[in-house]
């Protein structure tokens, strides 16, 4: 008589992106796939945008007598040979089971878990390139902070990925400075994932016998299966994850991302986690303004308090069916990331310098970021345009104040008056 055994297949993981944060996430994931062969394929594919690089002279891998150091090398070949991303994550040893791959289509083939970590402006083009190569039942996790805001509404990057690829995609966000995480300094993050009920329609018991299963099969009605998970676009129709694979649930995702130095809390609020990653950048600009004025920690704390309240209100106003207040007030993706961003993030530093130098944030951006762009400035403009269309500008005074200052229609010194409360109690 046949008995229920381990799952026939394991999850193959691909990290799409190999920059500073992408390489760091790949390191974490590869450490965990190696430790959990019952759940995951050991090797982790990491898609890299191919480019020619040279080993820096201050690198431990530099050898003046070797052509490997004296001539430019393909980034993927170098990563696979010396197990370090010398351009985007120098000085950090990468697990040997990370396979850098310059072919996007080949790297995602047969993967059931896709971890996206790349600049948001490339989501559309890369999704178009890979959509015919991915497994129809693949699932995604977006590590891309922020949301897309336009006059017509607010959309999550996880939704954009999901719609393009026809898959469900969650999100990962938190107070995570990539270099600190890569150096294995303690930090936390939040993974938001609301497992599609259809993935549990034909569940396999967790233990060696049916009695060990903790899942109540009687609750898996057609109504449960048809219910849309949080973060899924109404336009999407999903393909069920085959029962031959381990369930892709909160436990599995915790196992994939949690490390002794990188603590993970898994929630279902994809919208709240995504909104936090976007709106905190606007608040960080305001914090930089008041610190640049020399107003000190009290002023920064006041700005952060007002900012946190407006982040919660924005979520509850425009994503009332899914956003939870505690995502903003209790999670790393919320209050913790806000604290970090208002202390050492790029948006904070650039707005602070703009006040100190008496110039615009855009000028600081050009001189300090080596061609990179601040997310906070573009998000502030997009959010203001959306709020104006909705007729709700006055309900979000801090978010509005940042936009006005960036546009030269107000000064940093005006912040207290612009966000002043009208209560008399």
């Amino acid at each position: 008589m046949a008995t229920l055994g381990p799952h026939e297949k394991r999850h193959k993981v691909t990290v799409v992106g190999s920059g500073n944060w992408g390489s760091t996430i790949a390191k974490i994931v590869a450490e965990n796939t190696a430790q959990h062969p019952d759940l995951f394929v050991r090797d982790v594919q990491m898609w890299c945008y191919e480019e020619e690089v040279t080993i820096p002279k201050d690198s431990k891998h530099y050898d003046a007598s070797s052509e490997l150091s004296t001539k430019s090398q393909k980034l993927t070949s170098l990563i696979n040979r010396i197990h370090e991303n010398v351009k985007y994550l120098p000085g950090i040893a990468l697990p040997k089971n990370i396979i850098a791959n310059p072919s996007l289509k080949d790297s995602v083939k047969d993967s059931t878990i896709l971890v996206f970590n790349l600049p948001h402006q490339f989501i559309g083009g890369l999704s178009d390139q890979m959509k015919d190569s991915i497994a129809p039942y693949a699932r995604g996790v977006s590590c891309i902070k922020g949301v897309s805001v336009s006059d017509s509404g607010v959309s999550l990057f996880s939704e954009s990925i999901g719609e393009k690829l026809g898959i469900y995609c969650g999100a990962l966000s938190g107070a995570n400075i990539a270099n600190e995480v890569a150096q294995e300094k303690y930090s936390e993050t939040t993974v938001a994932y609301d497992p599609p009920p259809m993935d549990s329609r034909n569940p396999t018991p967790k233990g060696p016998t049916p009695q060990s299963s903790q899942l109540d099969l009687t609750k898996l009605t057609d109504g449960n299966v048809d219910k849309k998970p949080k973060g899924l676009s109404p336009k999407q129709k999903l393909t069920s994850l085959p029962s031959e694979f381990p369930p892709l649930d909160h436990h599995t995702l915790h196992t994939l991302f949690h490390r002794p130095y990188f603590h993970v809390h898994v929630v279902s609020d994809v919208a709240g986690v995504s909104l936090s990653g976007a709106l905190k950048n606007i608040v960080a600009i305001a914090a930089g303004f008041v610190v640049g004025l020399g107003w000190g920690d009290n002023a920064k704390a006041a700005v952060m308090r007002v900012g946190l309240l407006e982040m919660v209100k924005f979520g509850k106003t425009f994503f009332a069916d899914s956003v939870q207040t505690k995502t903003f007030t209790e999670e790393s993706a919320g209050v913790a990331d806000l604290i970090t961003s208002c202390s050492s993030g790029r948006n904070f530093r650039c707005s602070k310098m703009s006040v100190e130098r008496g110039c615009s944030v855009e000028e600081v951006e050009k001189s300090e970021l080596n061609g990179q762009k601040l997310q906070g400035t573009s998000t502030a403009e997009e959010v203001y345009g959306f709020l104006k269309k909705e007729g709700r500008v006055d309900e979000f005074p801090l978010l509005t104040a940042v936009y006005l200052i960036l546009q030269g229609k107000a000064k940093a010194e005006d912040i207290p008056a612009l966000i002043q409360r009208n209560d008399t109690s």
Side-chain angles (χ1 to χ4, degrees):
M1 179 177 176
T3 58
L4 290 171
H7 295 281
E8 297 175 25
K9 297 182 179 180
R10 297 166 295 159
H11 290 293
K12 178 185 174 184
V13 185
T14 295
V15 177
V16 182
S18 59
N20 187 238
W21 187 222
S23 296
T24 299
I25 287 293
K27 173 182 181 294
I28 290 168
V29 167
E31 289 169 353
N32 284 326
T33 59
Q35 287 189 7
H36 299 279
D38 55 321
L39 295 175
F40 308 110
V41 174
R42 178 183 177 86
D43 286 349
V44 172
Q45 292 283 318
M46 181 173 72
W47 174 72
C48 299
Y49 176 76
E50 191 68 283
E51 54 187 306
E52 297 283 329
V53 298
T54 54
I55 297 177
K57 291 184 178 181
D58 59 354
S59 169
K60 68 178 182 179
H61 301 286
Y62 183 80
D63 180 357
S65 63
S66 170
E67 286 191 355
L68 191 67
S69 299
T70 57
K71 293 186 176 181
S72 61
Q73 307 289 332
K74 292 186 181 301
L75 179 60
T76 53
S77 298
L78 205 54
I79 291 174
N80 292 331
R81 182 164 178 175
I82 67 175
H83 307 293
E84 180 180 319
N85 189 334
V86 296
K87 180 169 184 178
Y88 297 109
L89 196 62
I92 301 297
L94 298 178
K96 294 182 180 180
N97 59 318
I98 291 178
I99 310 300
N101 193 334
S103 169
L104 180 61
K105 293 183 178 181
D106 182 62
S107 69
V108 301
K109 184 180 179 182
D110 298 327
S111 290
T112 50
I113 302 176
L114 305 173
V115 183
F116 296 90
N117 208 320
L118 62 155
H120 67 87
Q121 61 266 34
F122 298 126
I123 290 175
L126 291 177
S127 295
D128 287 339
Q129 291 180 44
M130 73 174 78
K131 63 184 178 183
D132 293 329
S133 301
I134 67 169
Y137 46 80
R139 299 292 182 253
V141 176
S142 169
C143 300
I144 308 165
K145 287 189 177 182
V147 294
S148 177
V149 186
S150 65
D151 289 351
S152 59
V154 182
S155 61
L156 314 180
F157 289 145
S158 56
E159 287 180 339
S160 300
I161 292 169
E163 286 182 11
K164 281 279 190 179
L165 298 179
I167 65 174
Y168 176 72
C169 186
L172 180 153
S173 185
N176 307 141
I177 297 174
N179 286 338
E180 293 182 9
V181 177
Q183 293 165 19
E184 303 188 3
K185 296 178 179 179
Y186 166 66
S187 64
E188 296 178 311
T189 202
T190 308
V191 173
Y193 192 89
D194 192 26
M198 63 176 62
D199 285 356
S200 300
R201 177 170 279 193
N202 297 305
T204 303
K206 287 187 176 180
T209 65
Q211 287 78 12
S212 67
S213 176
Q214 301 300 307
L215 185 62
D216 185 353
L217 301 182
T218 65
K219 293 183 179 179
L220 291 174
T221 64
D222 287 341
N224 293 126
V225 174
D226 293 337
K227 182 178 178 242
K228 294 287 187 183
K230 296 181 181 71
L232 182 69
S233 167
K235 304 175 185 177
Q236 290 176 250
K237 292 184 179 180
L238 299 178
T239 301
S240 300
L241 179 73
S243 59
E244 290 84 3
F245 290 94
L248 195 43
D249 52 17
H250 282 193
H251 176 267
T252 302
L253 287 172
H254 185 273
T255 304
L256 182 63
F257 290 107
H258 185 89
R259 298 296 298 158
Y261 59 88
F262 190 65
H263 288 194
V264 172
H265 188 215
V266 188
V267 300
S268 297
D269 186 4
V270 180
V273 166
S274 300
L275 286 171
S276 294
L279 299 179
K280 56 93 179 180
N281 288 324
I282 305 177
V283 182
I285 290 176
F289 284 149
V290 298
V291 172
L293 288 169
W295 289 357
D297 291 335
N298 291 340
K300 183 170 78 169
V303 163
M304 292 170 65
R305 183 195 67 79
V306 174
L308 182 59
L309 290 176
E310 292 192 17
M311 288 166 61
V312 173
K313 185 173 183 178
F314 191 98
K316 299 297 284 185
T317 299
F318 301 111
F319 289 84
D321 60 335
S322 62
V323 160
Q324 298 182 18
T325 299
K326 65 181 182 180
T327 302
F328 298 90
T329 59
E330 299 179 16
E331 293 297 330
S332 179
V335 63
D337 199 10
L338 177 64
I339 292 170
T340 299
S341 298
C342 293
S343 301
S344 58
R346 292 191 303 177
N347 293 281
F348 169 79
R349 287 187 284 108
C350 287
S351 61
K352 175 176 175 286
M353 283 189 281
S354 75
V355 174
E356 292 171 337
R357 298 177 182 179
C359 63
S360 69
V361 173
E362 184 179 9
E363 290 176 90
V364 176
E365 181 184 64
K366 290 179 180 178
S367 66
E368 299 293 328
L369 297 185
N370 195 30
Q372 293 183 311
K373 297 292 185 180
L374 292 174
Q375 283 189 310
T377 52
S378 58
T379 303
E381 182 175 0
E382 292 168 355
V383 166
Y384 178 82
F386 172 70
L387 291 175
K388 186 175 181 180
K389 179 178 178 294
E390 294 291 317
R392 309 189 81 143
V393 167
D394 293 341
E395 297 178 38
F396 298 88
L398 181 65
L399 300 182
T400 298
V402 171
Y403 168 77
L404 294 175
I405 295 168
L406 290 171
Q407 295 297 312
K409 298 177 181 179
K411 297 180 180 179
E413 291 87 347
D414 298 331
I415 286 178
L418 292 171
I419 67 174
Q420 184 174 352
R421 295 192 296 184
N422 294 321
D423 40 40
T424 56
S425 57

